[in-house]
Amino acid sequence: MAATVFYLDDIPEPGAVAVLDGPEGRHAATVRRTRVGEAITLSDGRGLLADSEVVATGKDRLDLKVLDRRTAAPVTPPVTVVQALPKSDRSELAVELMTEAGADVVVPWQAARCVSNWEAKAAKGVEKWRAAARSAARQSRRAYIPEVTDLHRTADVLTLVREATAAGAVVAALHESGAGRFTELPFAGATGVVLIVGPEGGLDDGEIAALTGAGARAVLLGPTVLRTSTAAAVALGALGALTPRW
């Protein structure tokens, strides 16, 4: 079994001792009760990995001898998920699931039919999503923590879609009105993939028209209607089987 992953911004060279403290150290030392001699994999969340061994423990901290370092290759094609804000009780769950399923960038979107409204608390909402992404990346032992961007309005999303399609990415708006199927999209050779997931009430007609006008393709993900909090994870799973990501 692979060693547990914890995140440290600056990982020293092999042979040196790294100090894991703060929230990560608290989780490792106090919550997981990690002991001297145990193996820990450190990551900076940007692809660098290091095998290490616990040489000392303290209150909410571990001292770890770094044994080696290596860089994990990023998975291709990279996937950006534009996620319309789910209801508050499922908001962070959506981020957790898509992180475990392999999302590379997460874009919170204030869509027209969102029940949640972040206009007055965008910074707080984004920080919660970033914390959820970090925790889920640790749980799934990822070398890369997904980037969670600032809150996007529809105009921002349309700009993102135009830029992505111009760069050779496939942009899929997951919607029940889609004329095509997700599995039929031309993923081979794509420079990236953008998945657009609407809110509980669905994308409105104006949003679908604007998104497809900007270059997105409205497609059916499958035969059933999924919750907004699970749709991205299901799409990422399908994408893993359809591309070299898996």
Side-chain angles (χ1 to χ4, degrees), residues 101-211:
D104 299 293
V105 179
V106 180
V107 178
W109 173 30
Q110 188 72 62
R113 291 177 175 168
C114 286
V115 175
S116 295
N117 189 324
W118 281 13
E119 294 298 341
K121 53 181 179 181
K124 183 178 180 180
V126 168
E127 285 308 310
K128 284 186 175 181
W129 279 28
R130 287 173 178 164
R134 186 183 185 94
S135 177
R138 184 200 303 125
Q139 170 69 28
S140 50
R141 299 176 182 175
R142 289 187 54 171
Y144 292 86
I145 300 173
E147 174 193 357
V148 177
T149 72
D150 291 335
L151 179 67
H152 278 43
R153 281 74 179 177
T154 298
D156 304 317
V157 172
L158 294 176
T159 297
L160 183 157
V161 170
R162 293 188 191 98
E163 292 176 348
T165 53
V170 171
V171 182
L174 308 179
H175 194 259
E176 59 189 8
S177 71
R181 298 173 62 85
F182 182 77
T183 53
E184 297 169 345
L185 290 174
F187 295 118
T191 60
V193 177
V194 178
L195 304 174
I196 302 174
V197 181
E200 282 86 353
L203 299 170
D204 71 17
D205 292 342
E207 286 169 336
I208 284 291
L211 288 167

